[in-house]
Amino acid sequence: MTSEEPTESEALAVWCARLPGLREQARRTGVGERLDRDVARVQEGGSAVRAVHKWVRDGDPEAVRVWSGRDLLGLVGFPGATRTTPVGAGTYVCPRERCDRTAGRDAQGHVPVCHAFGAAMRPTA
């Protein structure tokens, strides 16, 4: 773990990307209601940094995804000023403009989803 704390935007991007897996894990382990409360807190403006620290474990292989090449928390590259995925046609961004997560359509052509807010991501101009 690095000493650098993620920004809310960076933590929200991780929260969004990891939420489907976290929900499945919480369901299997009987803590789904606790996760649902934290999801609601984040949706209402609560700290995504706190939620990530609470729910995303260091060393989790599913968490490995690089948006910017900058490692943080020992498990994820977060969005930053330098993007590895160019923004443009076929790129989607946070529908609430609260995080820097970008994504493209999946292999079946589906629009990516913002799991943090339960909405389709917004296409870039």
Side-chain angles (χ1 to χ4, degrees):
M1 185 160 147
T2 67
S3 61
E4 187 176 344
E5 187 73 15
T7 66
E8 277 298 313
S9 177
E10 291 168 339
L12 187 57
V14 170
W15 183 247
C16 179
R18 294 285 293 121
L19 202 49
L22 291 172
R23 282 187 168 130
E24 177 59 29
Q25 180 182 4
R27 184 191 59 76
R28 283 193 320 264
T29 58
V31 294
E33 288 182 18
R34 287 179 50 203
L35 178 61
D36 289 343
R37 284 191 298 270
D38 284 331
V39 167
R41 281 186 196 108
V42 171
Q43 288 175 342
E44 294 166 1
S47 174
V49 170
R50 182 174 181 213
V52 166
H53 281 299
K54 181 175 180 178
W55 290 96
V56 179
R57 291 185 307 227
D58 287 350
D60 183 349
E62 291 183 31
V64 177
R65 175 155 183 196
V66 176
W67 282 286
S68 68
R70 183 169 69 115
D71 291 331
L72 200 57
L73 298 178
L75 46 104
V76 176
F78 289 93
T82 306
R83 296 177 188 247
T84 57
T85 305
V87 175
T91 302
Y92 294 79
V93 296
C94 179
R96 302 261 178 115
E97 298 179 1
R98 287 190 51 196
C99 81
D100 292 338
R101 179 174 171 230
T102 61
R105 291 178 180 260
D106 66 14
Q108 292 78 36
H110 299 114
V111 172
V113 173
C114 168
H115 299 286
F117 295 102
M121 292 179 74
R122 183 177 52 81
T124 59

